[in-house]
Amino acid sequence: MQFSIQQNKLVDAVNDVMKAVSSRTTIPILTGIKISATHDGVTLTGSDSDISIESFIPAEEEGNQHVDIQRTGSIVLQAKFFSEIVKKLPKETVDIEVQDNFSTKIVSGSAEFNLIGLDPEEYPQLPQISDHHAFQMPIDLLKQMTRQTVFAVSTSETRPVLTGVNWRIEDRELICVATDSHRLAMRKAPIESGEISNITSVVIPGKSLNELNKILEDTNDLIDIVITDNQILFKTKYLLFFSRLLEGNYPDTSRLIPTDYKTEVIITAKDFLQAIDRASLLAKEGRNNVVKLTTFDNNSVQISTTLPEVGKVEEDVNCESLIGEELKISFSAKYMMDALKALDSTDIKISFTGAMRPFLIRPLDNDSILQLILPVRTY
Amino acid sequence: MQFSIQQNKLVDAVNDVMKAVSSRTTIPILTGIKISATHDGVTLTGSDSDISIESFIPAEEEGNQHVDIQRTGSIVLQAKFFSEIVKKLPKETVDIEVQDNFSTKIVSGSAEFNLIGLDPEEYPQLPQISDHHAFQMPIDLLKQMTRQTVFAVSTSETRPVLTGVNWRIEDRELICVATDSHRLAMRKAPIESGEISNITSVVIPGKSLNELNKILEDTNDLIDIVITDNQILFKTKYLLFFSRLLEGNYPDTSRLIPTDYKTEVIITAKDFLQAIDRASLLAKEGRNNVVKLTTFDNNSVQISTTLPEVGKVEEDVNCESLIGEELKISFSAKYMMDALKALDSTDIKISFTGAMRPFLIRPLDNDSILQLILPVRTY
C-alpha cells in the first residue's frame, strides 16, 4: 500500500474513527486503525466491537484530488500514535507506504515516522448490512431527538437495557424513549422517506448515540438508517456508523405517564431553570440535590432548599398560569435542569398529580416531546 | 454590615481572592472569604496562610458608584458557596446584610440566600508590611519574567527551596532563577524605580508566582514590590498579594553555567520546537521522554527517537549556523520544549560542551535570558 493524501482530509477521517477506538479493549488489534487504499480512495476503520466507524476519503471529489494512490493494499496502525502523528505533521501532504513486515513509513516534509503495523487480515470484518430497508431522516432532526432523550438513560448496569434509548416505529412515526427509572424522556417525529424493516422496537446503547452525535455535523442532509436483529447502521455519503443493539425487552413505559392532573403550572422555562440552578448551588452539596417547589396563591411558585450548617435559599418565580390544588413537592434539581434544557422551549407546562406521583414537563404547544420526573420523599 | 454592590465588581473581586482559598486547609476559617465594609468601600480577603490576597472595591470610582454602604462591619462566608452564588445571581445589584449570629442575607432580584457566616474576629490578621522599601516594575515585565522561569522549579519536596524561584537583586538588577537540578531557567531585568530593601536574595514559592500571574492583567502599569524577612508583597491600586518566602539557602547556580563551548548551533526556534514536539509523540511513551540530537556536516541537525515495538521518528532541521565538534546528545524533549517556549525568540543559539555536559539555549541577541538543560545518558 502506498499513497499520498491531503493532511486535513486524513485528520478529519482519523478524528471520526477515533470515536470508536478504545484503549481499554481486550482485543489487541482493535487498538489500531485500519487503513485501506483502493483506486477509489482511502478507507479508515475504528472499532471497539460495540461501535464501528468507517470513514472514506475519495481519491477525487468535485475535481479536487485528495489522494494519489500509488499501490493499493491495507494496514493496521496503532491508533494512539497514528492519530497524534497525523495531526502534528509539518506539510499539507502526507506520504504513507507499507514496507516489509507491516512496517509503515509516514513522511511529511522533513519528518519521517516508521510505525510497526499489524496484519490487516486480523482486523475483524464489519457487519454486512444490506441497505434494502433503509429509512431516511434529516441529520439535525436525528441529533436533536438524541440530545432530547439520551441524557435520561441509566448509568447503572443493574438493568443493562435501560442504558440504551428505546426506538419504536409505529405508523411511520419514530418514538425515542429513555429512562433510568427515576425520570423519563420521550421524543417522537414522523419518518418521511424510506422503507422500514419489520423490526419495530430496538434499544440503542446511549454511548453509541452520544458518539454518533459528536461525529455528525448539523445539516439537514438526510442520513440512511438500517435496523437489523442485532445492529443498527447510520450511513452518510462518506461515513458508516455501526452500533450493536442491546438485548432484552424494553419496559412498557406508556403506563407510567399520568393522564389526570391536579395542579398545572405554565411558566417561562428560562426563569424557572435559573431559579432551580441557583437553589441547586446549595442542594447539590446535600443528599441527592433535592429542591422543594411550593405553589402560592399569588400565581407564583417558590423554589427553596436548606443545607444544614450552610444556609438556605428561597426564590419566587411568577407563573403565567397556576391552576388546581395547592402543592408542595420535592425533586432532583439535576433531573429538572436536564429536562428543561432538553425541551428547547420558551414556555412550559408542568402537570402534577400530587406530591408522591410522577409529573410531566412539556412545551406549551408541542406534543412531540415529554419529560417525566419522579418526586423525592423528603418528610 | 449592610451594603448594596454591583454584581460584576463583586464577581471580579471574588475571583481574585479565590486564588488564595484552598478547600484543603487545616484552619477552618480559611475556607471562608472575609468581607469588610467601610465607608470607603468593600474589601475581600482570601488566604491559605501561604498566599493571602486582598481585593478592594471602592464605593465610588471616577464618578461611578460601585457600592452603597448602609452599615459598616465585616463577616466571613464560606468561599465555596459564596463564590458560586455571586456568579449566578439574577440582577446587576446585590444586597448583602449581616443579621443575628453571623447569619447573612444575600438578595438579588427575587433570589434570597441566607448563609451561616463565621466570626470575622477569628480570621487571621494579614502581615503588616510597611511599603517604605517598595520598588516598582511594569506588570507585564513581572509576568513575563515569571513565565520564563517558574516552569523550571522542582515539583519534589525533597529540597523544598528548589520549589521556589530565587530572586536576587544586584546593582539595581533583578535576577530570577529556577532549577529542579535537571534544568535551569534564568531571566534578569533592571529595576528602574523605587527603593530596594537590604534583603537582596529571597525564594518565592513557584505556586505563589503562578497564582499572581493568573490575577494580574497584562498592562505596563507599575506594581509595587516589598520584600521582608519572610514575606513578599505585590501591590497594585486595588489588590494586595502576600506570599510567604521559602526558608533555606538557594544553591549558587552560577558555577553550573559553562563558559567554554565545543559545538554551537544557531537555528530557527519554531522549526526546532516542532521537530522536538513530533519526536516527543513517540518519546513521551518511553522512559523520560528522551530524544536524540545528532549534528550533520550539511549544516543540519537530526532529531530522532525510537520506541521499541512501536517505531521510530527522524527529522532533519536546517541550521542557520553549525560550528565546532560533531555531537550526539540526548535530552528530555519536555525540558527542551519548555525552554524554547520560554525564550519567546525567533532564532536561538544552543551551546554544547560535550554529550555529558549541561548545555545552554539563548536568544541570538539577548543576554537577559538563559535556559540550561542537563543531558540524559542513553548508552
Side-chain angles (χ1 to χ4, degrees):
Chain A
M1 185 186 83
Q2 187 178 2
F3 60 85
S4 302
I5 190 164
Q6 284 183 11
Q7 191 224 6
N8 59 346
K9 292 282 164 190
L10 184 59
V11 169
D12 289 349
V14 167
N15 283 342
D16 282 350
V17 302
M18 278 300 281
K19 300 281 193 300
V21 179
S22 163
S23 55
R24 285 174 300 178
T25 174
T26 51
I27 309 166
I29 193 123
L30 293 186
T31 61
I33 290 177
K34 185 178 174 189
I35 306 166
S36 301
T38 65
H39 290 293
D40 296 332
V42 170
T43 302
L44 302 190
T45 310
S47 175
D48 67 358
S49 75
D50 285 343
I51 302 173
S52 301
I53 303 173
E54 207 176 275
S55 180
F56 180 69
I57 304 155
E60 203 186 302
E61 186 185 31
E62 293 168 4
N64 297 315
Q65 192 177 19
H66 299 319
V67 193
D68 177 18
I69 309 280
Q70 286 113 45
R71 206 166 69 241
T72 61
S74 56
I75 188 72
V76 175
L77 297 178
Q78 288 197 32
K80 179 179 174 183
F81 295 103
F82 184 64
S83 66
E84 292 197 352
I85 287 168
V86 296
K87 280 174 212 166
K88 292 211 168 169
L89 290 175
K91 294 287 176 191
E92 285 166 22
T93 305
V94 184
D95 301 316
I96 297 180
E97 182 186 354
V98 178
Q99 299 171 319
D100 296 341
N101 295 320
F102 309 120
S103 169
T104 304
K105 193 163 83 170
I106 303 165
V107 178
S108 178
S110 57
E112 178 177 326
F113 286 84
N114 272 276
L115 291 184
I116 300 167
L118 298 164
D119 183 354
E121 295 299 319
E122 287 179 15
Y123 199 87
Q125 289 287 322
L126 293 198
Q128 297 301 313
I129 294 183
S130 104
D131 50 6
H132 279 150
H133 296 289
F135 63 92
Q136 288 84 37
M137 190 179 282
I139 290 176
D140 47 10
L141 175 61
L142 171 67
K143 288 186 73 170
Q144 189 189 46
M145 294 181 80
T146 292
R147 193 178 57 74
Q148 291 177 328
T149 50
V150 73
F151 66 88
V153 301
S154 170
T155 53
S156 144
E157 288 293 332
T158 321
R159 287 181 68 189
V161 80
L162 294 187
T163 64
V165 178
N166 179 220
W167 277 26
R168 274 182 300 128
I169 297 170
E170 289 175 6
D171 302 331
R172 293 196 70 82
E173 189 172 55
L174 173 63
I175 304 161
C176 306
V177 174
T179 180
D180 59 7
S181 73
H182 302 290
R183 45 140 166 214
L184 176 147
M186 188 280 293
R187 168 69 202 266
K188 54 191 180 183
I191 295 169
E192 285 169 6
S193 68
E195 197 184 329
I196 294 153
S197 70
N198 50 3
I199 297 158
T200 55
S201 178
V202 293
V203 186
I204 309 167
K207 181 173 180 298
S208 300
L209 290 168
N210 278 323
E211 297 300 335
L212 179 64
N213 257 25
K214 287 182 204 159
I215 294 180
L216 294 177
E217 288 179 29
D218 278 304
T219 75
N220 57 8
D221 291 353
L222 294 178
I223 189 166
D224 280 348
I225 302 171
V226 188
I227 294 172
T228 72
D229 280 344
N230 57 7
Q231 291 278 336
I232 186 164
L233 164 63
F234 299 89
K235 186 178 170 188
T236 67
K237 195 168 177 192
Y238 295 130
L239 194 79
L240 299 180
F241 186 105
F242 298 86
S243 169
R244 79 176 168 92
L245 298 171
L246 290 174
E247 289 174 16
N249 290 321
Y250 202 80
D252 176 16
T253 55
S254 56
R255 65 188 170 72
L256 285 177
I257 296 165
T259 47
D260 59 321
Y261 311 111
K262 295 189 176 161
T263 314
E264 283 204 320
V265 174
I266 296 174
I267 199 163
T268 306
K270 190 178 156 216
D271 297 347
F272 191 59
L273 174 63
Q274 290 181 349
I276 302 274
D277 192 16
R278 278 188 282 272
S280 171
L281 291 177
L282 298 189
K284 71 185 177 191
E285 296 297 319
R287 218 162 42 87
N288 297 330
N289 196 358
V290 173
V291 299
K292 189 198 276 186
L293 179 147
T294 310
T295 59
F296 280 139
D297 281 345
N298 63 352
N299 223 31
S300 73
V301 294
Q302 184 183 68
I303 304 298
S304 62
T305 200
T306 300
L307 183 61
E309 295 175 25
V310 173
K312 63 176 180 175
V313 50
E314 287 175 358
E315 181 161 355
D316 292 352
V317 187
N318 287 327
C319 303
E320 293 184 28
S321 139
L322 167 53
I323 53 172
E325 296 180 7
E326 275 187 21
L327 181 74
K328 286 185 186 182
I329 190 168
S330 297
F331 49 82
S332 156
K334 180 181 186 300
Y335 290 174
M336 181 56 90
M337 289 193 283
D338 285 347
L340 293 170
K341 286 173 193 166
L343 286 183
D344 274 342
S345 190
T346 315
D347 292 311
I348 54 153
K349 180 164 66 174
I350 315 180
S351 309
F352 300 96
T353 325
M356 293 303 153
R357 302 283 305 280
F359 58 94
L360 291 185
I361 312 133
R362 285 170 293 185
L364 204 51
D365 295 311
N366 179 353
D367 280 342
S368 74
I369 181 166
L370 171 157
Q371 304 284 337
L372 175 143
I373 296 175
L374 271 71
V376 176
R377 285 170 198 260
T378 52
Y379 55 85
Chain B
M1 185 186 84
Q2 187 179 1
F3 60 85
S4 302
I5 190 164
Q6 285 184 12
Q7 190 224 5
N8 59 346
K9 293 280 165 193
L10 184 59
V11 169
D12 289 348
V14 166
N15 283 341
D16 282 350
V17 304
M18 279 299 283
K19 299 282 191 302
V21 178
S22 163
S23 55
R24 286 173 299 178
T25 176
T26 52
I27 308 167
I29 193 120
L30 293 186
T31 61
I33 289 176
K34 186 179 174 190
I35 306 166
S36 300
T38 66
H39 290 293
D40 295 331
V42 171
T43 303
L44 302 190
T45 310
S47 176
D48 66 358
S49 75
D50 286 341
I51 302 173
S52 300
I53 302 173
E54 208 177 275
S55 179
F56 179 70
I57 304 155
E60 203 186 303
E61 187 186 28
E62 294 169 2
N64 299 314
Q65 192 177 17
H66 299 321
V67 193
D68 178 16
I69 310 280
Q70 286 112 45
R71 206 165 72 240
T72 62
S74 55
I75 189 70
V76 175
L77 296 178
Q78 287 199 34
K80 179 179 171 183
F81 295 105
F82 183 64
S83 66
E84 291 197 353
I85 288 168
V86 296
K87 280 175 215 165
K88 293 212 167 166
L89 290 175
K91 292 289 175 188
E92 285 165 22
T93 306
V94 184
D95 301 317
I96 298 180
E97 182 186 355
V98 178
Q99 298 172 319
D100 297 341
N101 295 320
F102 309 120
S103 169
T104 304
K105 194 165 83 170
I106 303 164
V107 178
S108 177
S110 57
E112 179 178 325
F113 286 84
N114 274 275
L115 292 184
I116 300 167
L118 299 164
D119 184 354
E121 296 299 319
E122 287 179 16
Y123 199 87
Q125 289 287 322
L126 293 198
Q128 297 300 312
I129 295 183
S130 104
D131 50 8
H132 279 150
H133 296 289
F135 63 91
Q136 289 82 37
M137 191 180 279
I139 291 176
D140 45 11
L141 176 61
L142 172 66
K143 290 186 71 170
Q144 188 188 47
M145 292 181 81
T146 292
R147 194 177 57 74
Q148 291 178 327
T149 51
V150 73
F151 65 88
V153 301
S154 172
T155 52
S156 146
E157 288 293 331
T158 321
R159 289 181 67 190
V161 80
L162 295 188
T163 63
V165 178
N166 179 218
W167 278 26
R168 275 182 299 129
I169 297 171
E170 289 175 4
D171 302 331
R172 294 195 69 83
E173 190 173 56
L174 172 63
I175 304 161
C176 306
V177 175
T179 179
D180 59 8
S181 73
H182 302 290
R183 48 141 166 212
L184 176 148
M186 188 281 292
R187 168 68 202 270
K188 54 191 181 183
I191 295 169
E192 283 169 6
S193 70
E195 198 186 327
I196 293 152
S197 71
N198 51 2
I199 296 158
T200 56
S201 178
V202 293
V203 186
I204 309 166
K207 180 173 179 300
S208 300
L209 291 168
N210 278 324
E211 296 302 335
L212 178 64
N213 256 27
K214 285 183 206 159
I215 293 180
L216 295 176
E217 288 180 29
D218 278 303
T219 76
N220 56 7
D221 290 354
L222 294 179
I223 188 166
D224 280 349
I225 302 171
V226 188
I227 296 172
T228 72
D229 281 345
N230 56 9
Q231 290 277 337
I232 186 164
L233 165 62
F234 299 89
K235 187 179 169 187
T236 67
K237 195 170 179 191
Y238 294 131
L239 194 81
L240 298 180
F241 185 105
F242 299 84
S243 170
R244 80 178 165 93
L245 297 172
L246 291 174
E247 289 174 15
N249 289 320
Y250 201 80
D252 175 15
T253 54
S254 56
R255 64 186 170 73
L256 284 177
I257 296 165
T259 47
D260 59 321
Y261 310 112
K262 294 191 177 159
T263 314
E264 283 205 323
V265 174
I266 296 174
I267 199 163
T268 306
K270 190 179 154 215
D271 295 348
F272 191 58
L273 174 62
Q274 290 181 348
I276 302 276
D277 191 16
R278 278 188 282 272
S280 172
L281 291 176
L282 299 190
K284 71 184 178 192
E285 296 298 318
R287 218 160 43 88
N288 297 329
N289 197 357
V290 173
V291 297
K292 188 197 277 185
L293 177 148
T294 310
T295 59
F296 279 140
D297 282 344
N298 62 352
N299 224 32
S300 74
V301 294
Q302 185 182 70
I303 304 298
S304 62
T305 202
T306 300
L307 183 62
E309 297 178 22
V310 173
K312 63 178 181 174
V313 49
E314 288 174 355
E315 180 161 357
D316 293 352
V317 187
N318 288 325
C319 303
E320 293 184 27
S321 141
L322 168 53
I323 54 172
E325 297 178 6
E326 276 187 16
L327 180 74
K328 285 186 188 180
I329 190 168
S330 296
F331 50 82
S332 155
K334 178 178 187 307
Y335 290 174
M336 180 58 88
M337 290 192 283
D338 286 347
L340 293 169
K341 285 173 191 165
L343 287 182
D344 272 344
S345 189
T346 314
D347 291 312
I348 53 153
K349 180 163 70 177
I350 315 179
S351 309
F352 299 96
T353 325
M356 292 302 152
R357 301 286 304 281
F359 59 92
L360 291 184
I361 311 132
R362 285 172 292 186
L364 205 50
D365 296 309
N366 179 353
D367 280 342
S368 74
I369 180 166
L370 170 157
Q371 304 284 337
L372 176 142
I373 296 175
L374 270 70
V376 176
R377 285 171 199 258
T378 51
Y379 58 84

